[in-house]
Amino acid sequence: MGEDMSDGHQQNGHENVPSRQRRRFPGISSRAYEHPADRSALVALRKLSGFDTVFKALSGLLPERSLRLLFLSDSVRVSDQQFAHLNDMLRDACYILDLEKVPPMYVNQDPQPNAMCIGLDEPIIVVTTGLVELLDEEEMRAVVGHEVGHALSGHSVYRTILLFLTSLALKVAWIPLGNLAIMAIVTALREWFRKSELSADRAGLLVGQDLTASMRGLMKLAGGNHLHEMNVDSFLKQAEEYEAGGDLRDSVLKILNVLPRSHPFTTIRAAELKKWSASRDYQRIMDGHYPRRTEDKDTSVSDSFRESASHYATHVKTSKDPLMKLVSDIAGGAGDLGGRVRRGFGGFASSAPTDQPPTDPSDPTDKPGPANGTDTPPRDGD
């Protein structure tokens, strides 16, 4: 069973931490909170041609020590003496998720709200001043739990490689074809990382155990520190409208919009987290029934594949997105799919010339000719 732990003490003047009981999860495996899409995307990434070669090469070349020295020299390391309330949160999160070694955490001067967990040998957590100033205590607790979830899942290695390859892609963009292989791996890494964020959001909820605070934090990332101007239900309705709205053209545009992003859209993250919080899986974890790390070695890869496949099949069947509906209909053998595709993309051709009636070759007035009414084609620029 999960263990109860109380949390009502003052932390260096940060007095808005509610006094309440929270669960602890001894020996919890990251499999307990990992989103099925996270696992399947990681499997697909590892199968990508050339990924193993690049991964092994970069693992030996990336400046791990340099990375640590950089943050040590140009950021503030969280401790009992510096950002003590964050240090308490970090140790608290590691205690709840039973992460034995507490990763070092740094606060970096950057007005952009952000946090990340990076590192090859050992994870490092970095949060920006913009994030610290934006979030209240409980919202920040969920974020710290989110990053500890990344550490427990081993995400920091792939995140570090993604950051390095993104930088490298910019440097070699001038080399013919040299950028293609790198961008293929970067695109696959981004697809995985977006899915891993959904897993880490779940870890953040397990640590904070306050869904409202998790929702508030995501809303602030989208709309800034203006909670009095925002509403959770309306915010979640945006996600529903985003998924269901438009036609096939919009479905394609959604895919194109998300490709360059490292994170899923904030409304989607909020909707996914709220859905998981109401699930039986979440309730079982809170009741103390969850997979343990000691069982990880006995986990069946085929079972993970089946779970991921089942998740995607359910997602396609229940999705309101026009493209997903079409895919579901194709799988179900629905008729007139060609007509539906033409109607779905019809707007792309709305500006094209309409069909003209056939001309009578014997009628000189129907003879096609230059638009300017002369036998001489117009010059460039006319």
Side-chain angles (χ1 to χ4, degrees), residues 135-153:
L135 303 182
D136 70 21
E137 199 81 16
E138 286 298 284
E139 295 157 8
M140 194 69 198
R141 187 183 300 279
V143 169
V144 173
H146 174 112
E147 298 306 325
V148 170
H150 276 312
L152 183 59
S153 293

Side-chain angles (χ1 to χ4, degrees), residues 235-290:
F235 187 67
L236 292 172
K237 194 174 292 183
Q238 288 180 225
E240 185 177 343
E241 183 179 337
Y242 172 81
E243 183 181 357
D247 52 23
L248 292 179
R249 293 169 298 160
D250 296 299
S251 298
V252 173
L253 291 174
K254 291 174 192 175
I255 295 171
L256 295 176
N257 284 341
V258 81
L259 280 178
R261 294 175 60 92
S262 63
H263 289 60
F265 292 116
T266 319
T267 54
I268 304 301
R269 290 173 61 185
E272 283 281 338
L273 187 60
K274 188 171 189 299
K275 186 191 306 179
W276 186 68
S277 71
S279 71
R280 191 167 184 273
D281 289 341
Y282 175 72
Q283 190 55 54
R284 283 180 58 80
I285 295 173
M286 296 304 295
D287 290 341
H289 305 293
Y290 50 82

Side-chain angles (χ1 to χ4, degrees), residues 193-229:
F193 192 74
R194 285 190 295 269
K195 306 305 184 191
S196 76
E197 285 295 287
L198 302 178
S199 297
D201 283 343
R202 294 176 174 187
L205 180 58
L206 290 177
V207 167
Q209 298 173 29
D210 184 345
L211 179 63
T212 304
S214 293
M215 293 290 111
R216 288 200 314 265
L218 289 168
M219 288 171 65
K220 283 185 176 181
L221 289 176
N225 196 11
H226 304 282
L227 281 177
H228 62 289
E229 299 283 356

Side-chain angles (χ1 to χ4, degrees), residues 352-358:
T354 57
D355 292 338
Q356 298 295 330

